[in-house]
Amino acid sequence: MKIVMAIIKPFKLEEVRDGLTAVGVHGLTVTEVKGYGRQKGHTEIYRGAEYAVSFLPKIKIEVAVSDDLVDRVIETITTAARTGQIGDGKIFVSSIEKAVRIRTGETDADAL
């Protein structure tokens, strides 16, 4: 089992969700986050005053999947979230040692 974590631009969330649903992902967690990478933020003007925005709004998606789905999930997220511009995001994959469905007590792959 793996957990796939993706940081994407907020307006790409629906496309990513639709793509993941199409490949058989039944659940995901979405968190609104802020951060920066190579974008390094930008400046904005508000009421005539210029100020720096160092942390940009992003969306973090976390999906727990079986090992055989990992490559398809990565490909789906990459295809749906890509704009070709700087700041499209990153995908991280980690192993899951154990998973438990609280309601039923099912464990590991059955819990996914």
Side-chain angles (χ1 to χ4, degrees):
M1 297 176 305
K2 304 284 186 195
I3 188 155
V4 179
M5 182 185 354
I7 309 294
I8 62 169
K9 291 182 176 183
F11 66 90
K12 287 295 197 171
L13 177 59
E14 289 304 315
E15 286 179 59
V16 171
R17 186 186 65 133
D18 292 343
L20 290 173
T21 301
V23 298
V25 172
H26 301 294
L28 58 100
T29 301
V30 176
T31 311
E32 293 181 12
V33 296
K34 292 185 178 193
Y36 72 92
R38 291 186 179 160
Q39 280 179 296
K40 296 187 178 67
H42 62 280
T43 58
E44 290 184 3
I45 297 176
Y46 179 72
R47 294 189 177 181
E50 186 174 335
Y51 64 98
V53 177
S54 2
F55 294 100
L56 301 171
K58 299 288 182 180
I59 295 291
K60 179 168 74 169
I61 299 170
E62 294 172 296
V63 183
V65 295
S66 58
D67 291 335
D68 59 322
L69 260 181
V70 172
D71 291 333
R72 283 199 323 200
V73 165
I74 292 170
E75 182 180 330
T76 300
I77 293 171
T78 302
T79 302
R82 180 179 288 137
T83 66
Q85 302 295 316
I86 195 165
D88 275 351
K90 296 249 184 339
I91 298 174
F92 306 98
V93 180
S94 300
S95 293
I96 298 176
E97 287 185 34
K98 187 163 191 72
V100 178
R101 184 183 311 254
I102 295 172
R103 179 177 54 88
T104 62
E106 295 171 298
T107 60
D108 300 331
D110 294 333
L112 298 181

